[in-house]
Amino acid sequence: MIYLMYVACGYLLLTSVILLRNRLNFTSLSNAEPFRFVDDSRKVSICVPARNEERNIEQCIRSALNQTYPNLEVLVLDDHSTDRTSPILQELKKNHPNGDKLILLKGKPKPDDWLGKPWACQQLGEAAEGHILIFADADTWFEKDTVARVVRTMGRDVVDMLTVWPRQKLKSFWEKMLIPLVYYALFSLLPVHYVYRAPRWMPSFLRQKFGPLFVAACGQFMVFKEKTYRAIGGHQSVKQKVVDDVKLAKKIKSAGFKMRMYYGSDSVACRMYRSHKEIKNGFRKNFLAGFGYNLFLFLLMGLLHLAVYVLPTFTFIWSLANLNYSLVAWSLLPILLMLFHRFLTARWFGWNPAWGLLHPISVLWFEWLGFLTVRDYLTNKHTTWKSREI
């Protein structure tokens, strides 16, 4: 048992280095306040796919139309919604002071060989006239200077694509317990500076092949130079990919373009799910896909997370009851490191750190979800999302 505690401590010490370095390197979008954009600045297209988004769409589109950046169009594609999404959009176009910048599109029937979101985004990309294309989910909303900051950042950092990780609004019990684990897993494993440049320790002849492995993207807010987006084939190149955001980012890096990730708590906000059912179905559809359907890697990471985040708690209780003080110390260390990680992440992204105390339980929930996902995969059971089979 003590050897497993050694493994847990080693893993958590390594991820501590990554997390602390990311805390320093994961920066916000540039401040655009000193820069004055004029009406003939490069045109920006905000592209929003919407399917049954009556809860979210008004807040999203109002924030898009209220941007301080002058040369802007907002395109919304109503993807065969059956709720009040379309009437809400029509009302906004009619009554909002900047309603003339709102372009409403009706989604075409989805071809059989496309998934829903890539198909909607492809139609938006084809209709957009901007030099810069922003793809945002309908459950996001932006600060008034977000687009200006995006344009300024793309010029300052000379990137062809950027993605922003929004401030996640957490209100229900399940949101607070589960959604922070997505950010924690990412920023404790992926050094964000490797997204922008290949690791210097990697031999140059390997960088082109393995550089795209160091990539992540948040489909809630992705930005492309228009020419770059067309060059990689747009969303058509990922038309059957559940994790289309990550696949697009990999295509960007494989093609030799520059991309970067940015901290977005001060520029973009999102509330992606609101109930346990939505969280389960939302994560279930892309959990295994996020591992490239590599069952070995998926199961290995599941076992590693059990050993690192769950086992130390049980070992600590057992060793304390049996007065095994050496094991008490070695099981307490990973628990303290885990709590430090969660405290740091919570303070970083503006969440209540107390929820980190439930981390082992949250991990067990994802282990359960992983079991369901593997079962779905082995039995060829398709999941559904917004009334569509995936």
Side-chain angles (χ1 to χ4, degrees), residues 251-303:
K251 287 185 174 293
I252 288 287
K253 293 196 71 174
S254 297
F257 294 112
K258 291 288 186 181
M259 72 159 289
R260 200 161 189 158
M261 302 197 310
Y262 293 90
Y263 175 81
S265 288
D266 55 354
S267 57
V268 183
C270 177
R271 189 179 182 195
M272 64 171 98
Y273 305 124
R274 302 185 181 218
S275 67
H276 180 262
K277 182 179 179 180
E278 287 185 5
I279 294 172
K280 185 185 76 170
N281 292 337
F283 286 151
R284 189 174 183 174
K285 67 182 169 61
N286 56 21
F287 200 9
L288 186 56
F291 287 79
Y293 296 99
N294 186 327
L295 270 181
F296 174 77
L297 179 61
F298 188 75
L299 294 173
L300 179 64
M301 290 303 294
L303 290 173

Side-chain angles (χ1 to χ4, degrees), residues 20-28 192-193 260-261 348:
L20 289 169
R21 191 168 183 184
N22 282 341
R23 185 66 182 87
L24 297 174
N25 292 331
F26 191 45
T27 57
S28 298
V192 296
H193 53 288
R260 200 161 189 158
M261 302 197 310
W348 191 5

Side-chain angles (χ1 to χ4, degrees), residues 171-341:
K171 295 187 177 181
S172 71
F173 171 85
W174 292 106
E175 290 173 89
K176 293 174 182 177
M177 190 175 84
L178 298 173
I179 290 178
L181 264 70
V182 177
Y183 276 49
Y184 170 64
L186 175 67
F187 294 108
S188 63
L189 288 173
L190 176 67
V192 296
H193 53 288
Y194 289 167
V195 175
Y196 179 65
R197 61 167 179 80
R200 293 196 176 112
W201 49 263
M202 185 181 290
S204 58
F205 67 91
L206 294 176
R207 291 177 184 173
Q208 183 66 25
K209 182 177 181 181
F210 293 102
L213 295 178
F214 296 95
V215 70
C218 182
Q220 294 164 352
F221 196 93
M222 299 179 69
V223 186
F224 301 86
K225 289 182 178 177
E226 182 267 340
K227 290 182 179 179
T228 303
Y229 178 75
R230 313 279 182 219
I232 63 169
H235 278 80
Q236 185 173 4
S237 65
V238 294
K239 64 182 182 179
Q240 294 183 325
K241 303 300 182 182
V242 177
V243 285
D244 55 295
D245 46 6
V246 176
K247 296 299 182 182
L248 282 169
K250 287 186 176 182
K251 287 185 174 293
I252 288 287
K253 293 196 71 174
S254 297
F257 294 112
K258 291 288 186 181
M259 72 159 289
R260 200 161 189 158
M261 302 197 310
Y262 293 90
Y263 175 81
S265 288
D266 55 354
S267 57
V268 183
C270 177
R271 189 179 182 195
M272 64 171 98
Y273 305 124
R274 302 185 181 218
S275 67
H276 180 262
K277 182 179 179 180
E278 287 185 5
I279 294 172
K280 185 185 76 170
N281 292 337
F283 286 151
R284 189 174 183 174
K285 67 182 169 61
N286 56 21
F287 200 9
L288 186 56
F291 287 79
Y293 296 99
N294 186 327
L295 270 181
F296 174 77
L297 179 61
F298 188 75
L299 294 173
L300 179 64
M301 290 303 294
L303 290 173
L304 181 62
H305 277 65
L306 279 174
V308 171
Y309 297 116
V310 178
L311 186 60
T313 301
F314 291 98
T315 303
F316 176 76
I317 296 171
W318 180 89
S319 58
L320 197 62
N322 289 272
L323 304 180
N324 187 337
Y325 296 117
S326 175
L327 194 54
V328 166
W330 278 105
S331 57
L332 181 60
L333 180 57
I335 292 172
L336 293 176
L337 285 169
M338 173 186 68
L339 293 176
F340 166 70
H341 287 187

Side-chain angles (χ1 to χ4, degrees), residues 163-175:
T163 183
V164 170
W165 289 86
R167 176 176 72 258
Q168 297 295 337
K169 287 288 188 178
L170 311 177
K171 295 187 177 181
S172 71
F173 171 85
W174 292 106
E175 290 173 89

